[in-house]
Amino acid sequence: MTTQDLKQMDLDYVLHTYARNYIHFVKGSGARLFDNKGKDYIDFSTGIAVCSVGHGNERLANAICKQAMELIHISNLYLIEPQAKLAKELVTQSGYDMRVFFANSGAEANECAIKIARKFGEVNGKTKRYQIITLDSSFHGRTISTLKATGQDKMHHHFGPFPDGFVYAKDIADIPNKISEVTCAVLLELVQGEGGITPFNKSEIQELAKLLKEKNILLMIDEVQSGIYRSGELFASNYYEITPDVISTAKGLAGGVPIGAVMTRLKDIFSPSDHGSTFGGNFLSTRAALEVLEILKEEKQSGRLDKTIAYFTQNLQDLQKAYPEIFIQEIGLGLMRGLRLKDSELLTIFLQKTCEKRVLVLKSGKNTARFLPSLLITREEIDEGFSRINEAIKEL
């Protein structure tokens, strides 16, 4: 079947929720993707931070294949060995004294976090507390409640009425101004994935954590994109040296197999039937995640991950310095990085030209190019990617 035939099939039968680029990828290896014509692309996007150990990873593929031959799913009514082991591994590697709930996505993980906050607010204190503070430029998912938790007004068109109880602060400094007698939690991304790859000031976050603890308000950190060593540590929360009450994560946890997870220090907040998931934490997804965590732990402990982060960051900084008329700032944390361009029109052209040169880069916010490479990306792959980007810039 030709690419054109597949494109038409997609247009005829798939709901039009994505502005697709109709490149027809058929396989991948490491940080490279190959289309149906055999052309290779350097992937600096990894399926939006999902393919954390790259494409075609043999260890991950073998773990998935072996598990699929034994058991894929039995439901959470029974003991699931890799789920228990994965929960222990997340707790052990993070250093946080928590328990874990498994879901299928980041939005589902944030839904669980919202329910934790609401129950906490109801059972702790004389007044029923239900209000959750988020930021104007945040993004927390596309379900009805996580969409409302998202502070960007453009995301709210057409889909109301929404659940009550979400309040938006302009920035970290504005959060104390939004606290009321019914506030139960603050939900934050430490690096905003859709809000311009903006890492917050460490001391500001630490001061906020201290204030919320004093007021018995939960600090919930959305690490759907920044978690699983994307920041250079297991969680960005580790880098910021804070202990959240709740952490949500998803994207890179199972290297491409759908999974979400919520970790909380409120170990007994839920009773049986308070929350659940049919597919969440099944044999296949948790076995894949165990292998991914093992691979990335080795990468971190060996020092290779830190060296990769430093090398990739240096290449971005060199690019910004070489073309100050195009790039105004290099930002980010770990391998969650961005280049700010002068305006949104220039960003659109830049992304188009890099794709033409066969490098995959993403958009974030109004004028930021987002780079989310595999955490196992090699120097050779980085060099090739930036060589192609330099070629693209010459055509701007």
Side-chain angles (χ1 to χ4, degrees):
M1 184 175 286
T2 67
T3 300
Q4 187 57 41
D5 290 336
L6 281 172
K7 177 180 178 180
Q8 192 58 54
M9 187 183 296
D10 180 87
L11 290 168
D12 288 344
Y13 297 105
V14 178
L15 203 61
H16 298 174
T17 55
Y18 305 104
R20 288 201 202 278
N21 183 328
Y22 282 94
I23 304 170
H24 182 189
F25 292 119
V26 294
K27 66 177 180 178
S29 176
R32 294 178 189 265
L33 285 167
F34 298 87
D35 68 15
N36 60 323
K37 297 177 182 176
K39 293 181 179 178
D40 75 314
Y41 290 70
I42 300 297
D43 187 4
F44 283 170
S45 64
T46 57
I48 318 180
V50 167
C51 303
S52 50
V53 295
H55 303 289
N57 184 284
E58 189 172 345
R59 282 179 60 178
L60 177 58
N62 287 339
I64 291 171
C65 184
K66 185 175 185 297
Q67 186 60 61
M69 292 293 290
E70 294 172 355
L71 274 175
I72 292 176
H73 179 86
I74 59 168
S75 94
N76 283 296
L77 297 176
Y78 308 99
L79 181 65
I80 301 172
E81 181 179 342
Q83 182 185 115
K85 289 180 175 178
L86 177 59
K88 180 183 178 182
E89 199 64 29
L90 284 168
V91 168
T92 302
Q93 286 193 38
S94 69
Y96 296 134
D97 185 15
M98 296 179 169
R99 283 182 180 160
V100 189
F101 173 84
F102 291 103
N104 308 286
S105 66
E108 285 185 45
N110 281 332
E111 285 276 356
C112 179
I114 290 166
K115 287 178 71 174
I116 289 172
R118 291 284 171 81
K119 185 169 183 183
F120 170 83
E122 184 171 297
V123 301
N124 285 271
K126 297 177 182 178
T127 304
K128 179 177 179 178
R129 296 183 293 155
Y130 60 88
Q131 191 180 81
I132 298 171
I133 300 170
T134 67
L135 294 182
D136 281 343
S137 51
S138 61
F139 180 82
H140 297 293
R142 295 183 185 275
T143 63
I144 288 295
S145 59
T146 57
L147 200 59
K148 187 59 176 173
T150 295
Q152 301 178 58
D153 185 59
K154 66 180 181 180
M155 306 293 290
H156 302 153
H157 300 162
H158 312 301
F159 303 116
F162 291 98
D164 292 331
F166 295 97
V167 175
Y168 312 124
K170 289 181 293 185
D171 50 32
I172 300 297
D174 187 39
I175 289 175
N177 302 326
K178 301 298 182 181
I179 293 174
S180 73
E181 69 278 2
V182 293
T183 302
C184 63
V186 171
L187 175 61
L188 288 177
E189 304 158 275
L190 294 173
V191 186
Q192 294 188 319
E194 298 292 335
I197 311 299
T198 307
F200 292 111
N201 179 275
K202 184 184 282 191
S203 62
E204 259 194 317
I205 294 295
Q206 291 174 344
E207 283 299 312
L208 175 64
K210 182 180 177 182
L211 173 68
L212 296 181
K213 187 173 184 179
E214 290 171 357
K215 292 183 175 291
N216 197 28
I217 294 171
L218 298 184
L219 175 58
M220 307 200 300
I221 303 299
D222 179 341
E223 301 232 28
V224 169
Q225 190 166 146
S226 63
I228 317 305
Y229 292 101
R230 177 62 54 184
S231 70
E233 304 296 334
L234 179 63
F235 293 114
S237 305
N238 296 129
Y239 170 81
Y240 278 80
E241 298 178 293
I242 57 172
T243 302
D245 299 295
V246 180
I247 294 173
S248 57
T249 195
K251 287 180 180 291
L253 179 54
V257 178
I259 194 171
V262 177
M263 302 173 61
T264 180
R265 68 168 186 81
L266 306 175
K267 294 183 177 182
D268 299 309
I269 189 68
F270 284 154
S271 300
S273 82
D274 273 352
H275 197 53
S277 171
T278 297
F279 295 102
N282 71 13
F283 275 89
L284 188 69
S285 63
T286 53
R287 180 63 189 88
L290 273 171
E291 195 65 33
V292 167
L293 275 186
E294 184 62 29
I295 292 168
L296 295 180
K297 181 173 72 172
E298 292 171 10
E299 197 72 6
K300 175 66 176 177
Q301 291 179 344
S302 70
R304 290 191 298 268
L305 178 60
D306 291 339
K307 290 178 182 177
T308 299
I309 290 169
Y311 190 67
F312 196 92
T313 303
Q314 187 62 57
N315 272 271
L316 283 173
Q317 291 173 348
D318 290 346
L319 201 63
Q320 190 273 320
K321 290 174 184 175
Y323 302 100
E325 70 280 8
I326 298 174
F327 306 109
I328 59 176
Q329 188 183 12
E330 187 277 328
I331 52 172
L333 182 67
L335 285 177
M336 186 177 176
R337 309 211 71 89
L339 279 176
R340 289 259 166 84
L341 283 80
K342 294 219 166 178
D343 55 55
S344 58
E345 184 178 349
L346 193 56
L347 173 62
T348 299
I349 298 169
F350 173 73
L351 295 178
Q352 177 187 331
K353 291 297 182 182
T354 54
C355 188
E356 288 174 3
K357 296 299 180 182
R358 306 199 310 281
V359 184
L360 305 181
V361 183
L362 300 168
K363 177 183 178 181
S364 176
K366 294 179 180 179
N367 64 328
T368 303
R370 176 169 35 165
F371 297 80
L372 302 165
S374 160
L375 304 184
L376 304 186
I377 192 169
T378 65
R379 286 200 170 205
E380 185 272 329
E381 290 166 333
I382 294 171
D383 290 343
E384 180 62 28
F386 279 98
S387 174
R388 295 182 189 186
I389 288 174
N390 273 285
E391 290 177 24
I393 290 171
K394 292 174 184 176
E395 297 183 10
L396 285 179

